[in-house]
Amino acid sequence: MESGARVASTPGALPCYVALSQLLGLTVVAMTGAWLGLYRGGIAWEGALQFNVHPLCMVIGLIFLQGDALLVYRVFRNEAKRTTKVLHGLLHVFALIIALVVAVFGYHKRKGYADLYSLHSWCGILVFVLYFLQWLVGFSFFLVPGASFPLRSRYRPQHIFFGATIFLLSVGTALLGLKEALLFHLGAKYSAFKPEGVLANVLGLLLAGFGAVVLYILTRADWQRPPQAEEQALSMDFKTLTEGDSPGSQ
């Protein structure tokens, strides 16, 4: 009976939206690979195709894996908090590592374009810096033993806000990069509804759809992870120590 009362039921529509987000995310990754394979000659770690690693790694790391990391607390609603934290942090680490593998300047240098002049480049640098700082501060507050409970409680809303904001910036940066790549490659032909342009436009819509579904799941208050019994006890004990309330006064 105690364990049954402890585990909250999963809201009926949540699994459907999570499944939709995964379907959109995997489709985005597959379509990015198809776009590069059909119209850009594929990808390679060396040689002329090395720059094609950039968009694929960005989509896998800073879009798909980052989105999944944000959904961890919605998907694993009844798991131990420590386990969920570690999984959340590891997915962010994998996303950051995959993104850092990218040769950011490869495309521009091989095509003879200047670096760091476009809005896409500036947004990309901003996303990298904010993403790294967000992970570093979150690791310090929530995974390193010794961080005080009141500090964690005060920082948690900011952590959630900046996490969603950085994800939104990542999606926007990817869309800017997609448009920039099409203009570089197609130029005036982009307006002639070339097959590559149409495919890339569909890819952009799917990117936006994935971001929208993830953010919708995150903003549904009734889909938030319910506090477990031990977490409620810890919160009540802290309130007793700091405010003099008795656990039974709430």
Side-chain angles (χ1 to χ4, degrees):
M1 289 295 293
E2 182 179 353
S3 61
R6 177 178 174 271
V7 177
S9 61
T10 301
L14 176 58
C16 297
Y17 278 94
V18 171
L20 176 60
S21 72
Q22 298 309 289
L23 177 62
L24 287 171
L26 291 173
T27 303
V28 164
V29 173
M31 282 195 67
T32 302
W35 168 51
L36 296 174
L38 290 173
Y39 298 104
R40 301 304 172 96
I43 63 173
W45 294 107
E46 296 179 354
L49 299 178
Q50 183 180 6
F51 63 82
N52 283 348
V53 176
H54 171 76
L56 186 60
C57 285
M58 288 295 104
V59 166
I60 294 175
L62 289 183
I63 304 296
F64 183 61
L65 286 182
Q66 183 182 182
D68 278 3
L70 297 179
L71 295 180
V72 161
Y73 288 103
R74 301 298 187 271
V75 175
F76 302 100
R77 293 165 48 83
N78 301 311
E79 301 298 324
K81 187 68 173 287
R82 183 73 178 179
T83 302
T84 312
K85 282 183 180 180
V86 170
L87 179 59
H88 176 74
L90 283 176
L91 283 174
H92 278 306
V93 169
F94 293 148
L96 189 60
I97 290 174
I98 291 173
L100 288 176
V101 165
V102 174
V104 177
F105 303 124
Y107 183 85
H108 284 229
K109 288 182 178 179
R110 291 187 181 277
K111 294 296 181 179
Y113 300 125
D115 290 320
L116 301 179
Y117 73 94
S118 68
L119 180 59
H120 169 67
S121 299
W122 289 24
C123 288
I125 292 174
L126 179 64
V127 166
F128 268 111
V129 172
L130 291 178
Y131 195 83
F132 177 74
L133 291 177
Q134 169 82 347
W135 185 88
L136 188 63
V137 176
F139 180 82
S140 302
F141 272 88
F142 299 115
L143 286 176
V144 174
S148 66
F149 186 82
L151 281 177
R152 289 179 178 179
S153 299
R154 282 196 289 267
Y155 173 66
R156 183 174 176 272
Q158 284 73 33
H159 184 72
I160 295 173
F161 169 78
F162 282 109
T165 300
I166 294 168
F167 175 69
L168 187 61
L169 282 173
S170 300
V171 173
T173 301
L175 292 174
L176 287 172
L178 182 62
K179 180 65 177 294
E180 184 178 284
L182 290 174
L183 292 177
F184 283 162
H185 191 254
L186 295 179
K189 296 179 181 179
Y190 183 30
S191 61
F193 290 95
K194 292 292 183 179
E196 179 182 359
V198 174
L199 177 64
N201 285 346
V202 174
L203 174 58
L205 290 177
L206 291 173
L207 273 168
F210 175 70
V213 173
V214 170
L215 288 178
Y216 177 72
I217 295 173
L218 294 177
T219 55
R220 283 287 298 266
D222 54 326
W223 290 351
Q224 291 181 359
R225 181 180 184 276
Q228 305 299 320
E230 62 271 18
E231 298 167 24
Q232 292 177 324
L234 177 61
S235 177
M236 293 170 65
D237 289 343
F238 173 76
K239 188 175 180 63
T240 301
L241 291 173
T242 56
E243 299 182 10
D245 294 339
S246 64
S249 63
Q250 294 188 347

